[in-house]
Amino acid sequence: MWKRFITSQKWIPPRCRQDPTREFGLTTSLIVLCACASGVTAANLFYTYPVLNKAAESFNVSYQTASLIPQLLQAGYGVGILLLCPLGDVFRLRPIILTLLTVTTLTWLGLCLTPSFHTFTALSFIAGFANGSPQLLLPLIGTVAPPHRRATAVSLVLAGMMMGLAIPRVIAGIVTQYTPWRTIYWAALAQQILLLLSMYLLFPDFPRPQPHTTNFLSKYTTILRDIFHLTTHKPILAHGCAVTFLINATHSSFWTTLTAHLASTPYHFNPLQIGLFSILAVGTTAVIPLYSYLVIERYATYLSSSIGLFYGLISVAIDAYTHNALKIGGPIVQALGVDFGLQIPSVAYRAAIYKELPANRANVIFTACAFIGQLVGTSVGNAMFAGGGWERVGTFHVVITVVTLGVVFSRGPREKGWFGWTGGAGVRWEGVEVETGEGEEELGLHVHEVAFVGCVVVSAIRGAWSSQLASRQ
């Protein structure tokens, strides 16, 4: 009776029900719904950043102790991705996502009510654990999207997720300036309830990915084994995991320590000013889908990734080693580099991985590495800031970015092994057909492509330098 109850089509709105005469494909409405869902759920992980100092005062703990809240949220998110997202290859997506959203909503109610710091941190871990629905939506989009538009479709959903990283920092700062800090948690609860209703009414009931031929435990353990097998046998996935781990460590370290940096000497920013500072990330996030369409879908993964990394490296170095000469311009320059330049490789490698491997299984380990990186970045960044201030944090970011570039350039686009450049340095992405003249190699290094790459790199350097001059003036 219970099985019939949960599998009955009667509880699903007619437009979302499975129908043998039609197939759910990629539509604009599906992309928008998935992007909004990714944004709302990702936002749950970042509301606390601009209010950590207020939360520390409320719970009567130190700032470093209060930083356990985002660390446990991220840890729970990473564990949830590893253990819950493989269910996307066992059960239908719709009931899984609705269940996770329901658990997150109930847990969030506890975060709004509890007066205990220990209970708050425990519930934060549970909320992060159940907050993995975006990582079920990303491989879905990567699967239903046509190959020539996969990077753009994925980047749009990722853009929604990254908006969920940026906008909460703005809203939390504004709300906390005029109301108690926990007000933002009540607002997040209202958004979570609205998302749950929207997904119930609009999200299609996609069929089970594979026939149910074995028992659940056997299939689940097989999927987990396949996930680790892919990581140790597929170089593109292993390199992508290393890259996303490193760039997410940098991203998380920057935004965690930025709150303490802006709240201390010489800025003494209040939560409103700290939150408004994060509005920079909204603009950079909006550019990433355009970059994906113009660059990532057309050019090799190493090329599109390295352009962003070089831009990020220059931006971080300008802020780290000018010794406050740029004043507030320094953190602004670094924020632009971190939120745009260091997010580009994640989109590029994700598109390449979805092209070659089973999307859901590869996404589990890829995203788990991303949020383990955030956990490590939050912890190491706080330790760096406590031990050496903002300059030491910048040095940490520079080192991580250089190491990331080393990983990117350790394997060429045509290399079949783990390291090397066998087959040459093709600029064009293998999935894009290129019209070539007589005598030209289809994936060779053409003059107009070299010019394009040069213009992008020069523009990035010029933009960073212009920001420096403007700040000095």
Side-chain angles (χ1 to χ4, degrees), residues 87-115:
L87 297 177
D89 281 341
V90 181
F91 301 111
R92 305 193 324 268
L93 279 182
R94 178 182 168 89
I96 297 174
I97 290 176
L98 292 179
T99 300
L100 291 176
L101 290 176
T102 301
V103 173
T104 303
T105 302
L106 295 175
T107 306
W108 209 262
L109 178 61
L111 290 173
C112 294
L113 296 173
T114 181

Side-chain angles (χ1 to χ4, degrees), residues 34-302:
C34 291
C36 291
S38 297
V40 171
T41 51
N44 293 337
L45 303 174
F46 292 90
Y47 283 116
T48 187
Y49 282 98
V51 301
L52 273 180
N53 52 341
K54 296 291 184 179
E57 294 175 4
S58 175
F59 288 120
N60 195 27
V61 297
S62 67
Y63 181 88
Q64 194 161 5
T65 302
S67 67
L68 283 173
I69 297 172
Q71 289 181 46
L72 286 171
L73 272 168
Q74 292 161 7
Y77 195 34
V79 174
I81 289 167
L82 185 61
L83 298 181
L84 296 180
C85 287
L87 297 177
D89 281 341
V90 181
F91 301 111
R92 305 193 324 268
L93 279 182
R94 178 182 168 89
I96 297 174
I97 290 176
L98 292 179
T99 300
L100 291 176
L101 290 176
T102 301
V103 173
T104 303
T105 302
L106 295 175
T107 306
W108 209 262
L109 178 61
L111 290 173
C112 294
L113 296 173
T114 181
S116 167
F117 176 74
H118 297 293
T119 304
F120 193 93
T121 53
L123 289 175
S124 295
F125 180 86
I126 297 173
F129 181 79
N131 205 49
S133 52
Q135 304 312 324
L136 291 167
L137 298 175
L138 273 169
L140 169 67
I141 295 297
T143 301
V144 300
H148 63 286
R149 286 293 175 263
R150 183 176 289 117
T152 301
V154 169
S155 69
L156 286 169
V157 179
L158 279 173
M161 185 184 301
M162 288 183 281
M163 286 290 186
L165 313 184
I167 294 177
R169 297 192 289 252
V170 180
I171 297 175
I174 295 174
V175 172
T176 307
Q177 179 66 19
Y178 303 104
T179 65
W181 67 272
R182 214 184 291 246
T183 303
I184 192 61
Y185 276 78
W186 285 105
L189 177 63
Q191 289 183 349
Q192 192 70 26
I193 295 172
L194 181 61
L195 173 62
L196 178 59
L197 293 175
S198 300
M199 294 296 284
Y200 173 79
L201 295 173
L202 301 174
F203 188 70
D205 186 23
F206 287 91
R208 189 193 306 275
Q210 299 176 5
H212 191 59
T213 56
T214 58
N215 65 70
F216 164 74
L217 184 59
S218 175
K219 191 168 186 177
Y220 182 74
T221 53
T222 299
I223 291 172
L224 290 178
R225 185 171 62 251
D226 286 349
I227 289 171
F228 291 102
H229 177 81
L230 286 173
T231 309
T232 56
H233 288 77
K234 298 295 181 180
I236 183 62
L237 179 58
H239 281 247
C241 288
V243 167
T244 197
F245 171 84
L246 293 168
I247 62 178
N248 277 278
T250 305
H251 185 270
S252 181
S253 170
F254 173 77
W255 284 107
T256 302
T257 56
L258 181 68
T259 301
H261 178 55
L262 295 180
S264 60
T265 306
Y267 305 111
H268 299 291
F269 279 9
N270 56 42
L272 173 61
Q273 293 170 314
I274 295 174
L276 289 175
F277 189 90
S278 302
I279 204 169
L280 293 168
V282 177
T284 56
T285 298
V287 178
I288 290 178
L290 179 62
Y291 183 91
S292 299
Y293 176 75
L294 295 176
V295 182
I296 295 177
E297 285 186 351
R298 290 166 167 77
Y299 296 91
T301 303
Y302 82 92

Side-chain angles (χ1 to χ4, degrees), residues 340-386:
F340 176 72
L342 298 189
Q343 292 300 323
I344 290 300
S346 179
V347 179
Y349 273 93
R350 196 181 288 269
I353 289 169
Y354 290 167
K355 172 178 175 284
E356 297 186 19
L357 303 174
N360 195 61
R361 302 185 189 193
N363 184 71
V364 171
I365 192 66
F366 185 87
T367 309
C369 288
F371 281 88
I372 293 172
Q374 289 200 1
L375 177 63
V376 172
T378 299
S379 179
V380 175
N382 278 320
M384 290 286 182
F385 186 82

